[in-house]
Amino acid sequence: MDSSTRIEQALSAALARAETPSAPSKLASAMSYAVFPRGARVRPRLCLAAAAACGDDQPALTDAAAASIELLHCASLVHDDLPCFDDAALRRGKPSVHVAYGERIAVLAGDALIVLAFEQLAYVPCSPERLPHVMRIVGQSVGMPGGIAAGQAWECEPFCNLVEYHEQKTGALFSAATMLGAAAAGHDPEPWRAVGAQLGLAYQVADDLRDAAADEDELGKPVGKDVTLGRPSAVRDLGIDGAMRRLESLVKGAIAAIPPCPGAGDLRTLILSEAKRLVPKRLAQVAA
Amino acid sequence: MDSSTRIEQALSAALARAETPSAPSKLASAMSYAVFPRGARVRPRLCLAAAAACGDDQPALTDAAAASIELLHCASLVHDDLPCFDDAALRRGKPSVHVAYGERIAVLAGDALIVLAFEQLAYVPCSPERLPHVMRIVGQSVGMPGGIAAGQAWECEPFCNLVEYHEQKTGALFSAATMLGAAAAGHDPEPWRAVGAQLGLAYQVADDLRDAAADEDELGKPVGKDVTLGRPSAVRDLGIDGAMRRLESLVKGAIAAIPPCPGAGDLRTLILSEAKRLVPKRLAQVAA
């Protein structure tokens, strides 16, 4: 089974837990709406790729771990889009959850997706000693003091450390993706942290570039939001050329950080193809 | 060590994970603010009592499970108080989290407390086969389709099933409390569901009574909110006398549901003393 199929099936299986006939239908529907149709699924694909590089001997746990970080990613987008944060009306080219379902259901959908991300791990048939390792990585990537919630909270502090902000808001889930792949396959996750961390920083730089240089059709949401909101941005700090150079260096760093393993070659290929996809079309054409 | 000390220590240990010097300080502070100073800690005390009745042979897991449901309870209060839900300015006699820290930090504090509730379970030294059972009970009590988030979501549906609404919004965490105590002690949690479920319904009736009949000083928050917001309420449906009779019958039902176990007597005593504490002083005086 290919990675995409595994990921969509794992996400569908997780969401099916929430969608019983007796469940309140708006919340159930909003949870699905936040997760489907598929986004790029960058993080879970990275998780599966790292697991494959490590032998992937318990694929059910790999799939659940991959679903967990995608559910948490989707939850963070729902809450980030809320009126009190970005007040974003569009996400992936369609109305954001609070626009489609109301603010209360959006808060609850985020909450319920966070719960589901952990809960569904408890149903996986796997070696019981692997579960706590996986849970710790998931928790660290999304909570406090170093996960997504922490990263988002830096936007509420008078002084924001740009490195910590990016590492936590974006890098944490990328580090988790590669570490979870390794941990699900019974390998030491720690050497895999740097691979995901570099890719997370690359992704954030690419996101800043897309916000500055893509058009709205390509992005599926309004552009120029970082500048409007006065948010930290690599483009603001380095300019477009500087940000492009930084992106390239981060991708090289991620590839260099891959620990020795049988699947290193495939992983390198995946990372390079991801990196190409991330550059805004306009800049890619200029660079070509 | 007495139950209160165990619970406060377990909560402090969990919160300490979030409060490193490098963490964004407002969010760290808001998380503590939401959990301390102590509320009644009804649910974790019930968890410890059920565990004690079952032998409590792995108290570290019991304490972490108890902390987990209290963290989730606190998280749900933070989000319930948000402007888009109850818009409550006071909680436990002090400004609610969004009033004290702003709405963004309140959303994140709820999120991070949910994450912490699960994450801290992964650090407990315990029999690894017990962890998935504990996680499933925690997840079911707080997520979809039958947990707190589901209960809260019924407020957004055009038709609200009053029984499901109360069972999920309040009963779910009470069922989880007794089931977690049993599961942490290696016992089958299922027979313990009814004990917590009856107590959860009793607590909700008592809450409706307090909203209708207590004064603001006793409650630590504004009274009469249910009527103002047109929310489902046992007092609205049964009157004050009817609600008092229902409360008594539910407490008796909970006691009758206690499975045979060595600690049944102590548990009965705890439940009766809780029940007395829940009745608004004015009604208790009338009843005496």
Side-chain angles (χ1 to χ4, degrees):
Chain A
M1 202 188 300
D2 71 6
S3 292
S4 288
T5 310
R6 284 175 64 179
I7 292 162
E8 299 312 305
Q9 285 190 355
L11 289 168
S12 295
L15 264 296
R17 298 195 173 281
E19 282 170 359
T20 60
S22 67
S25 61
K26 281 187 195 167
L27 179 52
S29 167
M31 289 170 74
S32 262
Y33 184 89
V35 176
F36 301 107
R38 60 188 301 247
R41 311 291 197 216
V42 182
R43 297 155 193 79
R45 281 192 291 131
L46 191 55
C47 174
L48 263 59
C54 294
D56 199 19
D57 65 337
Q58 297 197 2
L61 182 56
T62 304
D63 292 354
S68 183
I69 43 174
E70 186 66 12
L71 292 170
L72 290 165
H73 173 59
C74 293
S76 79
L77 298 181
V78 174
H79 282 185
D80 277 10
D81 286 343
L82 285 172
C84 69
F85 286 108
D86 293 0
D87 197 12
L90 284 175
R91 169 69 67 182
R92 291 174 182 163
K94 61 181 189 177
S96 52
V97 174
H98 69 276
V99 170
Y101 290 89
E103 198 175 340
R104 296 191 293 171
I105 289 289
V107 171
L108 293 173
D111 292 356
L113 287 170
I114 297 173
V115 171
L116 187 61
F118 285 96
E119 185 185 1
Q120 53 104 30
L121 290 172
Y123 291 93
V124 183
C126 68
S127 311
E129 73 282 359
R130 290 194 193 174
L131 183 60
H133 292 288
V134 165
M135 282 175 65
R136 287 178 206 172
I137 298 168
V138 172
Q140 285 167 12
S141 72
V142 72
M144 277 277 279
I148 308 177
Q152 190 71 21
W154 282 114
E155 292 182 12
C156 307
E157 293 284 336
F159 169 75
C160 168
N161 179 325
L162 186 62
V163 174
E164 295 230 320
Y165 170 78
H166 281 170
E167 271 182 14
Q168 292 167 352
K169 195 173 169 190
T170 309
L173 270 196
F174 277 84
S175 296
T178 47
M179 293 172 77
L180 282 171
H187 282 229
D188 178 10
E190 208 45 56
W192 287 87
R193 181 188 297 275
V195 183
Q198 299 279 311
L199 287 176
L201 292 172
Y203 189 85
Q204 185 61 54
V205 173
D207 204 45
D208 294 346
L209 279 164
R210 283 144 59 104
D211 187 75
D215 59 36
E216 196 163 320
D217 282 350
E218 185 180 351
L219 205 54
K221 63 180 183 183
V223 297
K225 199 91 186 175
D226 291 342
V227 174
T228 313
L229 296 174
R231 281 194 304 206
S233 153
V235 174
R236 192 190 66 182
D237 295 352
L238 305 170
I240 286 195
D241 287 350
M244 285 286 284
R245 280 193 298 273
R246 174 118 175 93
L247 175 60
E248 197 180 328
S249 137
L250 286 164
V251 170
K252 281 186 186 159
I255 288 172
I258 298 173
C261 58
D266 290 349
L267 186 55
R268 197 177 302 125
T269 308
L270 176 71
I271 289 173
L272 285 171
S273 91
E274 286 298 320
K276 263 191 207 134
R277 208 184 49 76
L278 289 178
V279 178
K281 285 180 192 144
R282 222 176 69 195
L283 296 179
Q285 283 158 358
V286 172
Chain B
M1 201 188 301
D2 71 7
S3 292
S4 288
T5 310
R6 283 175 63 178
I7 292 162
E8 299 311 305
Q9 284 189 358
L11 289 168
S12 295
L15 264 296
R17 296 195 176 281
E19 283 171 358
T20 59
S22 68
S25 60
K26 279 187 195 165
L27 179 53
S29 168
M31 290 171 74
S32 262
Y33 183 89
V35 177
F36 302 107
R38 58 190 303 251
R41 310 291 197 216
V42 182
R43 296 155 194 80
R45 282 193 291 132
L46 191 56
C47 174
L48 262 60
C54 294
D56 199 19
D57 65 338
Q58 297 196 2
L61 182 56
T62 305
D63 292 355
S68 183
I69 44 174
E70 186 66 12
L71 292 170
L72 290 165
H73 172 58
C74 293
S76 79
L77 297 181
V78 174
H79 282 185
D80 277 9
D81 286 343
L82 285 172
C84 68
F85 286 109
D86 294 0
D87 197 13
L90 284 175
R91 171 67 68 180
R92 290 174 184 164
K94 62 180 189 177
S96 52
V97 174
H98 69 274
V99 170
Y101 290 89
E103 197 175 341
R104 297 189 295 171
I105 288 289
V107 171
L108 293 173
D111 292 356
L113 287 170
I114 297 173
V115 172
L116 187 60
F118 285 96
E119 186 185 2
Q120 53 104 31
L121 291 172
Y123 291 93
V124 183
C126 67
S127 310
E129 74 281 0
R130 290 193 193 175
L131 183 60
H133 293 287
V134 165
M135 281 175 67
R136 287 178 208 174
I137 298 168
V138 171
Q140 286 167 10
S141 73
V142 72
M144 277 279 279
I148 308 178
Q152 190 70 21
W154 283 115
E155 292 182 13
C156 307
E157 292 284 336
F159 168 76
C160 169
N161 179 326
L162 187 61
V163 173
E164 293 229 322
Y165 170 78
H166 279 169
E167 271 181 14
Q168 292 168 353
K169 195 175 169 187
T170 308
L173 270 196
F174 278 83
S175 295
T178 47
M179 292 171 79
L180 281 171
H187 283 228
D188 178 9
E190 208 45 56
W192 286 87
R193 182 189 296 274
V195 183
Q198 298 279 314
L199 287 176
L201 292 172
Y203 189 86
Q204 185 61 52
V205 173
D207 203 45
D208 292 347
L209 279 164
R210 284 144 58 104
D211 186 74
D215 58 36
E216 195 161 319
D217 282 351
E218 186 181 351
L219 205 54
K221 63 180 182 181
V223 297
K225 200 91 185 170
D226 291 341
V227 174
T228 313
L229 296 175
R231 281 194 302 209
S233 154
V235 173
R236 190 190 67 181
D237 295 351
L238 304 169
I240 286 194
D241 287 351
M244 284 289 283
R245 281 193 298 276
R246 172 113 176 98
L247 175 60
E248 197 179 329
S249 138
L250 286 164
V251 171
K252 279 185 186 158
I255 287 172
I258 299 173
C261 58
D266 290 350
L267 187 54
R268 197 177 300 123
T269 308
L270 176 71
I271 289 173
L272 285 171
S273 90
E274 286 298 321
K276 264 190 205 134
R277 207 184 49 75
L278 289 180
V279 178
K281 285 182 188 139
R282 220 177 71 196
L283 296 179
Q285 282 158 2
V286 172

